Amino acid sequence: MTYKTLILATVAAAVLVTPAFAQTKEDPAVTACKATGLIALQAKSPDITDIVFDMESLAVSAADTKVEDVSVKTVVLGEAYLSRKGVTGKSDRFVCLLGDKGKVLLTFFTAQ
């Protein structure tokens, strides 16, 4: 599966899902996205110490779609702030796809 295919499918999935805004950061999908996103970001940039999600912008949406042969069950979209050594920078947009049993398939951050 190529990143181009995955990004196109993500956009299509985001259009086809019904948003349900997260009420708390204890939402299991949000927790999973934060944990795996932090691990992935720290692998590329060890100075990143935390991810702070903007709860006002966060949307957790149920999905019932596939990217090639991989089921996507939840899409989390929003803005996040990356902390480097305790200093929080500008917001970044992110997309997180979760599959069966809440397994994170992809977390993608992009600078605005």
Side-chain angles (χ1 to χ4, degrees):
M1 172 180 334
T2 66
Y3 281 113
K4 184 177 178 182
T5 303
L6 196 53
I7 296 302
L8 289 174
T10 301
V11 171
V15 170
L16 297 173
V17 295
T18 304
F21 294 95
Q23 298 300 314
T24 68
K25 62 183 176 182
E26 280 78 34
D27 185 302
V30 174
T31 302
C33 290
K34 181 177 179 177
T36 58
L38 185 58
I39 291 167
L41 288 169
Q42 286 176 330
K44 292 183 179 183
S45 187
D47 63 330
I48 294 175
T49 55
D50 196 12
I51 300 171
V52 179
F53 287 134
D54 177 356
M55 298 309 287
E56 301 264 330
S57 73
L58 209 60
V60 179
S61 303
D64 188 15
T65 190
K66 286 190 173 196
V67 177
E68 292 186 3
D69 63 343
V70 178
S71 293
V72 176
K73 300 296 181 187
T74 307
V75 178
V76 180
L77 304 165
E79 294 184 21
Y81 296 87
L82 304 181
S83 293
R84 289 180 167 82
K85 299 181 181 177
V87 178
T88 303
K90 296 187 302 184
S91 67
D92 293 296
R93 292 188 180 152
F94 76 94
V95 175
C96 181
L97 302 179
L98 294 95
D100 293 323
K101 300 179 184 176
K103 179 181 176 187
V104 175
L105 305 170
L106 169 81
T107 302
F108 180 80
F109 289 84
T110 181
Q112 291 192 29

